[in-house]
Amino acid sequence: EAMTVNFGAIAEAYRGKRVLVTGHTGFKGGWLSLWLSEMGADVTGVSLPPVGDRSLFDSAAIADLVDHRIADIRIAEDFGEAAQGCEPDLLIHMAAQSLVRPSYEDPVGTIATNVTGTAVVLDWARRASSAKGIIVVTSDKCYENHEWPWPYRENDALGGADPYSASKGCTEIVASAEARLNAAHGTASVSDDAATALEDAAQSLARRLGVDHLEFRNRSARHPDWPTQELYCTFRKAIL
């Protein structure tokens, strides 16, 4: 049975949304930026300049449709400066070294872009805190290649015999770690305003549930008048 796509509903979902696309000067990122613009999204793109003089980015005049910004995602300061002020509702991370053969010629650069670059982008998104959704695009090459006749599944082992595949497996691990970063022991805040909002929300929830007390865990007390308990021990030992 053929699947029916309701483009009207999709357009309604994206209309007016602020979307940050990394890698918008590439082939897939360019097509995605075109489609999002057609759906009515407010698109900001952060990427390296397009490669070659016959790129889709130039041919389709994508710079006229999106807020076009240049940055190297491997450098946190560079990316942060380029992305400053865009406050996306949705982040779609597509920037990558996306070819197998060049990964043999420059394995360090491939890993730096695909692994460190992903960590830089996701760490920025976590601190920016405006994004309600994050999509990280990798590859089926992230899985250990067993030459199976069937498609790989998301619970198959990650791996890779070449630098590109290995970098994509690492990208998956980095994305998973970032997703869990704030969920390990509750929600972490990255500013005083966010911490205050979280405390107010937690106290409101405690009152509704009728709990006896709340426990806030922080290495340094934010409220000197609140009761505290020493839970952390920091020590040093000389290594001879």
Side-chain angles (χ1 to χ4, degrees):
E1 183 179 351
M3 181 178 66
T4 302
V5 178
N6 187 339
F7 286 103
I10 294 175
E12 184 62 30
Y14 281 104
R15 186 175 296 117
K17 294 295 190 298
R18 299 183 301 272
V19 183
L20 173 58
V21 178
T22 68
H24 69 295
T25 59
F27 184 73
K28 292 182 180 179
W31 275 116
L32 175 64
S33 299
L34 283 172
W35 181 81
L36 287 169
S37 297
E38 184 69 19
M39 293 296 105
D42 180 9
V43 182
T44 298
V46 178
S47 181
L48 293 175
V51 178
D53 56 1
R54 298 182 61 187
S55 67
L56 170 69
F57 181 81
D58 291 329
S59 300
I62 294 174
D64 297 334
L65 301 174
V66 307
D67 184 355
H68 170 50
R69 307 182 185 189
I70 296 295
D72 187 338
I73 64 169
R74 297 173 297 183
I75 305 172
E77 294 80 7
D78 196 21
F79 179 80
E81 182 177 347
Q84 186 174 8
C86 66
E87 298 183 353
D89 299 305
L90 173 65
L91 165 65
I92 305 178
H93 175 47
M94 300 191 72
Q97 195 299 93
S98 59
L99 301 172
V100 174
R101 184 171 296 177
S103 76
Y104 286 102
E105 300 168 0
D106 185 14
V108 173
T110 297
I111 291 170
T113 298
N114 295 349
V115 184
T116 302
T118 297
V120 165
V121 171
L122 294 183
D123 189 64
W124 175 89
R126 178 171 58 86
R127 297 178 185 279
S129 73
S130 65
K132 301 176 180 63
I134 298 174
I135 299 172
V136 178
V137 179
T138 59
S139 167
D140 62 346
K141 298 295 189 295
C142 68
Y143 300 111
E144 186 70 30
N145 186 5
H146 296 284
E147 301 293 346
W148 288 329
W150 54 81
Y152 288 94
R153 300 156 297 185
E154 291 196 1
N155 59 352
D156 285 332
L158 299 174
D162 58 84
Y164 171 76
S165 301
S167 74
K168 287 301 185 178
C170 291
T171 299
E172 293 279 351
I173 294 172
V174 168
S176 177
E178 285 284 351
R180 299 178 185 181
L181 184 59
N182 288 340
H185 296 95
T187 302
S189 60
V190 294
S191 70
D192 288 339
D193 289 343
T196 298
L198 287 171
E199 289 171 356
D200 291 344
Q203 292 179 76
S204 175
L205 178 62
R207 286 191 293 269
R208 291 202 307 271
L209 297 178
V211 300
D212 295 332
H213 68 278
L214 287 172
E215 179 179 313
F216 293 91
R217 295 196 175 191
N218 200 314
R219 291 182 65 88
S220 57
R222 281 175 34 83
H223 303 280
D225 56 324
W226 286 13
T228 61
Q229 182 177 357
E230 292 295 331
L231 296 175
Y232 301 99
C233 179
T234 302
F235 64 92
R236 295 178 180 175
K237 181 177 181 180
I239 300 177
L240 304 179

